[in-house]
């Protein structure tokens, strides 16, 4: 058995699962921060209830997504030792910074935000949430910086068989990063927007009595979906121009044709759906068109599917290189028997599947239950009653 395709499939599965958690986390924390900001600056009490309800869903997704990220980090050292040996001095730096940002700063600020509900000054509490949001985006920045280096290894040179970093600043101006980072950010906003709209639509289908609560939520979700989809489409096409600079062969690769076509199609579908929702919002019909509510619920998975297609295009097009033009994928795999890699692949896949099921079951229970009564305590009991 050839270990290479098994190892590639294992890492592709790991990154895909983790990417889905990350997208929803980034999207939801942004929307929750907007909700709490509006309430803090004198908004209606309904906005605080929205912050608590959608914040609870965000925290559940964040907590379960951490596990997939930890597994992904371990695979670099266990399966792809050739990458660590050849490019670890460069590639490892942004990953180390991301780990410090994500697991120390972001998690610390988030913990303070969760347990600070109803216990601290509202301005300090809002500041904590924006620190969570900013560190989450900083984490995304350094992950994409590391991935972009694999696509286009700028600011480095080969010395004694390993890559050495000459210019750390070049990593931030990498053409592979300039268009792809806004594309990922837009995808996260779209994902959060479609999720909020879909959950709100489900409650309207169930004849909810919380009409004002989910009307406000749906309005914010529609606006986020439209803004995010514009970024996704615009920056998606912008990447084609960037590819001509550092990977002109990528789009000629036959293996990316099918996912590329699906990604473009889903991107335009999401944009048109968000545009239609905005037009209905302007006419104040968005909460009344019952047949559209079914479509809104069904559209929740679209951003996730589009994101996976986009990730496949980005990664498959780089093959057979792991570090473009510097290190082939076949030369980076560890000297581990294929059977062991296959066993770990099956074990990790089962773990990820269980995490995904647990995530959606927990989130579905909280989402279906709806917001707590207006007179409920101000705390954020994240997992109570699930």
């Amino acid at each position: 058995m050839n270990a290479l395709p098994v190892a590639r499939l294992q890492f592709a599965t790991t990154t895909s699962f983790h990417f889905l958690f990350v997208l929803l986390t980034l999207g939801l924390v942004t929307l929750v921060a907007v909700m709490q900001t509006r309430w803090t600056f004198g908004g209606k009490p309904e906005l605080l209830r929205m912050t608590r309800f959608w914040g609870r869903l965000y925290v559940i997704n964040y907590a379960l997504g951490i596990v997939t990220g930890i597994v992904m980090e371990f695979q670099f050292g266990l399966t792809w030792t050739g990458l660590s040996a050849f490019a670890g001095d460069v590639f490892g730096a942004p990953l180390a910074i991301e780990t410090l940002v994500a697991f120390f700063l972001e998690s610390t600020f988030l913990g303070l935000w969760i347990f600070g509900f109803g216990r601290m000054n509202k301005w300090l509490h809002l500041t904590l949430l924006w620190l969570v949001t900013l560190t989450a985006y900083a984490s995304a920045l350094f992950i994409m910086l590391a991935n972009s280096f694999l696509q286009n290894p700028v600011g480095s040179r080969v010395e004694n068989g390993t890559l050495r970093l000459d210019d750390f600043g070049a990593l931030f101006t990498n053409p592979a990063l300039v268009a792809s980072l806004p594309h990922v950010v837009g995808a996260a906003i779209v994902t959060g927007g479609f999720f909020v709209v879909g959950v709100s639509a489900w409650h309207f289908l169930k004849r909810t009595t919380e009409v004002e609560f989910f009307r406000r939520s749906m309005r914010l979700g529609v606006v986020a979906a439209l803004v995010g989809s514009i970024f996704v489409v615009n920056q998606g096409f912008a990447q084609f121009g960037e590819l001509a600079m550092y990977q002109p062969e990528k789009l000629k690769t036959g293996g990316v044709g099918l996912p590329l076509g699906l990604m473009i199609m889903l991107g335009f579908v999401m944009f048109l759906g968000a545009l239609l929702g905005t037009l209905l919002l302007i006419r104040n019909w968005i909460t009344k068109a019952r047949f559209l509510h079914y479509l809104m619920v069904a559209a929740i998975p679209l951003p996730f599917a589009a994101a996976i297609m986009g990730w496949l295009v980005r990664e498959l097009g780089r093959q057979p290189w792991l570090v473009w033009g510097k290190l082939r994928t076949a030369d980076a795999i560890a000297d581990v028997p294929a059977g062991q890699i296959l066993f770990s692949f099956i074990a990790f896949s089962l773990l990820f599947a269980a995490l995904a099921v647990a995530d959606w079951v927990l989130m579905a229970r909280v989402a279906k239950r709806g917001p707590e009564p207006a007179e409920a305590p101000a705390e954020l009991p994240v997992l109570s009653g699930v």
Side-chain angles (χ1 to χ4, degrees):
M1 180 188 300
N2 188 351
L4 180 60
V6 181
R8 286 183 59 192
L9 185 60
Q10 179 192 55
F11 196 72
T13 303
T14 303
T15 53
S16 296
F17 268 101
H18 182 60
F19 193 36
L20 297 182
F21 284 97
V22 168
L23 281 178
L24 186 56
T25 293
L26 282 176
L28 275 182
V29 73
T30 306
L31 295 181
V32 172
V34 171
M35 295 172 190
Q36 185 166 348
T37 300
R38 292 176 62 191
W39 172 77
T40 304
F41 279 87
K44 294 185 177 181
E46 205 72 23
L47 289 164
L48 179 59
R49 297 179 66 215
M50 289 167 58
T51 301
R52 291 163 54 196
F53 175 69
W54 298 108
R56 189 174 296 116
L57 291 168
Y58 153 69
V59 171
I60 293 172
N61 188 74
Y62 175 87
L64 292 174
I66 286 178
V67 181
T68 58
I70 294 174
V71 173
M72 184 173 65
E73 297 283 354
F74 274 113
Q75 285 187 10
F76 285 120
L78 297 176
T79 308
W80 301 103
T81 54
L83 174 63
S84 302
F86 177 73
D89 290 350
V90 183
F91 181 71
L95 288 183
I97 296 173
E98 187 276 333
T99 300
L100 291 172
V101 169
F103 289 97
F104 288 93
L105 289 179
E106 184 182 359
S107 300
T108 299
F109 292 142
L110 179 58
L112 290 171
W113 180 76
I114 292 172
F115 295 106
F117 249 95
R119 295 183 174 90
M120 63 174 60
N121 177 277
K122 67 177 183 178
W123 296 101
L124 176 59
H125 196 241
L126 176 65
T127 301
L128 285 172
L129 182 56
W130 275 111
L131 287 172
V132 172
T133 305
L134 291 175
T135 51
Y137 279 99
S139 176
L141 165 64
F142 284 103
I143 285 292
M144 290 303 299
L145 190 146
N147 179 266
S148 296
F149 176 79
L150 299 182
Q151 306 286 341
N152 185 31
V154 296
S156 62
R157 73 183 191 280
V158 177
E159 181 182 296
N160 298 325
T162 60
L163 279 179
R164 303 296 183 188
L165 183 63
D166 288 327
D167 184 2
F168 186 71
L171 300 179
F172 292 88
T173 58
N174 191 343
L177 175 71
V178 172
S180 62
L181 180 61
H183 185 69
V184 170
V185 170
I189 301 299
V190 168
T191 304
F194 269 74
F195 180 81
V196 170
V197 168
V199 172
S200 301
W202 185 89
H203 280 276
F204 280 119
L205 288 173
K206 296 299 180 180
R207 309 292 187 182
T208 180
T209 58
E210 296 280 0
V211 175
E212 181 62 21
F213 180 96
F214 287 109
R215 179 189 287 118
R216 286 180 174 272
S217 297
M218 186 176 284
R219 286 175 178 174
L220 181 59
V222 165
V223 172
L226 178 63
V227 173
S229 63
I230 291 173
F231 267 93
V232 166
V233 173
N234 181 69
Q235 296 303 125
F237 283 106
Q239 288 186 78
F240 293 157
E242 299 290 349
L243 284 173
M245 298 174 58
Y246 63 91
Q247 281 185 3
E249 300 89 351
K250 173 172 279 190
L251 297 180
K252 300 177 183 178
T253 306
V256 303
L258 181 56
L260 177 62
L262 289 174
M263 179 190 68
I264 293 174
M265 180 189 70
L266 290 172
F268 276 108
V269 168
M270 290 186 296
F271 169 72
L272 293 175
L275 182 61
L276 174 61
T278 303
L279 294 175
L280 293 173
L281 176 63
I282 294 173
R283 297 299 298 261
N284 201 28
W285 291 345
I286 195 168
T287 61
K288 303 173 183 177
R290 190 171 177 81
F291 74 98
L292 284 176
H293 293 161
Y294 286 102
L295 295 180
M296 291 173 180
V297 175
I300 292 177
L302 291 184
F304 297 102
I308 292 299
M309 293 302 106
W311 196 252
L312 289 175
V313 170
R314 187 170 176 86
E315 298 306 296
L316 288 176
R318 192 176 69 236
Q319 299 304 316
W321 299 100
L322 187 54
V323 180
W324 183 262
K326 304 289 185 180
L327 177 67
R328 291 183 178 272
T329 306
D331 298 328
I333 190 172
D335 187 18
V336 178
Q340 293 185 17
I341 298 178
L342 178 60
F343 174 80
S344 64
F345 168 56
I346 295 174
F348 285 139
S349 297
L350 292 174
L351 172 63
F352 295 149
L355 287 172
V357 171
D359 183 48
W360 283 101
V361 167
L362 290 174
M363 294 185 73
R365 288 182 179 179
V366 172
K368 289 179 179 179
R369 192 172 62 211
E372 295 178 346
E375 63 275 9
E379 290 84 359
L380 189 74
V382 179
L383 297 178
S384 65
V386 301

